[in-house]
Amino acid sequence: MENLRGIGLMTSFLEEARAQTTRLRRAIHDLPFNRELAQGVLRRDRFQHYLVQDSLYLTAYARALSMLAVKAPTAQIMVQFNQAAAGAVLFEQAMQRDYLDGFGVVMTGTEPSPTCLAYTSFMLTEAQTGSYETLLASVLPCFSIYAEVGTAIAAQAVKDNPFQLWIDTYASPEFQVSVMAAEAAAEGAAAEASPSLRRRMLALFQRSVEFEWMFWDAAYRLEAWPTRSFR
């Protein structure tokens, strides 16, 4: 690829984004949360913490996707991301509710953890102030990382895994198709972007991948507000 670049051909946006986040994405796969989930031995309190925070996250994510649809350059892309927003609420949160109802968890009054609040605030700020291109780069890792992790875990998960519903959701062909559509939209946007806008997209993509690592790590640590005792 370096030789191709040397004769004036540009690396695709996703190739460049993946290259600059290679170590970070490997670290996500190697997180104790994901290794133990694949082995079926993840503690229930850690999985429950993750589900609660991810439910809060997905509500904000659906809002960001709806804003992305508003900013979309074509009607086709507008429909694509409106459908993705609906999927985050109707399908992903439905899977979470199946688990949370089984655990007897009531979401009323639940607050986001520091990491969840930081991630959703970052994303919603970009939704309000950024362009179509920058917002797309910010939301794309949630598509791409979950596709990677879901398929990787599905390939190594133990039989009768108690987290099989979660695994099936993100390893499903339907989810993979939605991810490929989002990635294709990002490639199209980056191809038309100026060099400075492309660099901004890459920086936002990397920051969101960092937040993905932090989110799973926070769940494993059962992250809570350190100031709760002062309330």
Side-chain angles (χ1 to χ4, degrees):
M1 185 56 67
E2 289 299 320
N3 291 335
L4 291 177
R5 293 186 72 180
I7 60 174
L9 296 179
M10 182 179 292
T11 306
S12 80
F13 174 76
L14 280 170
E15 287 174 333
E16 192 167 358
R18 286 170 179 153
Q20 74 177 25
T21 57
T22 297
R23 291 180 61 193
L24 185 55
R25 288 183 295 109
R26 286 176 182 164
I28 288 173
H29 286 269
D30 199 43
L31 281 168
F33 186 100
N34 289 324
R35 285 190 284 106
E36 292 177 15
L37 189 148
Q39 296 161 5
V41 298
L42 182 66
R43 272 177 22 196
R44 172 177 150 172
D45 57 344
R46 286 172 169 151
F47 189 57
Q48 180 175 308
H49 185 287
Y50 163 83
L51 289 172
V52 168
Q53 294 302 314
D54 200 42
S55 182
L56 297 172
Y57 167 85
L58 282 174
T59 299
Y61 189 61
R63 290 193 178 103
L65 291 175
S66 293
M67 285 300 298
L68 185 59
V70 171
K71 297 172 185 284
T74 67
Q76 179 180 355
I77 295 176
M78 178 179 66
V79 170
Q80 173 185 330
F81 286 111
N82 271 327
Q83 290 175 340
V89 174
L90 297 177
F91 299 107
E92 293 184 66
Q93 284 192 331
M95 174 270 293
Q96 293 170 339
R97 281 194 298 272
D98 282 349
Y99 279 113
L100 292 173
D101 288 348
F103 294 158
V105 175
V106 178
M107 290 289 295
T108 305
T110 303
E111 65 176 352
S113 67
T115 295
C116 182
L117 181 60
Y119 194 2
T120 55
S121 296
F122 158 78
M123 190 167 47
L124 292 175
T125 296
E126 200 60 41
Q128 292 176 337
T129 64
S131 65
Y132 164 73
E133 295 85 358
T134 61
L135 178 55
L136 178 52
S138 300
V139 303
L140 186 61
C142 190
F143 281 100
S144 299
I145 296 297
Y146 271 77
E148 285 186 28
V149 172
T151 54
I153 290 178
Q156 57 184 295
V158 298
K159 187 178 180 180
D160 298 322
N161 194 306
F163 311 111
Q164 195 63 50
L165 178 59
W166 185 96
I167 296 168
D168 290 344
T169 298
Y170 295 111
S172 69
E174 295 80 7
F175 182 71
Q176 301 299 318
V177 167
S178 71
V179 171
M180 288 188 289
E183 291 178 340
E187 290 285 22
E192 300 295 326
S194 67
S196 60
L197 178 55
R198 182 186 171 96
R199 287 193 296 271
R200 175 66 177 157
M201 291 174 69
L202 287 167
L204 290 167
F205 182 95
Q206 178 161 334
R207 181 49 47 86
S208 286
V209 177
E210 291 170 340
F211 272 125
E212 290 292 335
W213 184 96
M214 292 170 61
F215 199 93
W216 272 307
D217 177 68
Y220 196 80
R221 293 185 290 104
L222 303 177
E223 181 186 64
W225 285 92
T227 52
R228 289 176 66 180
S229 62
F230 300 106
R231 296 178 184 175

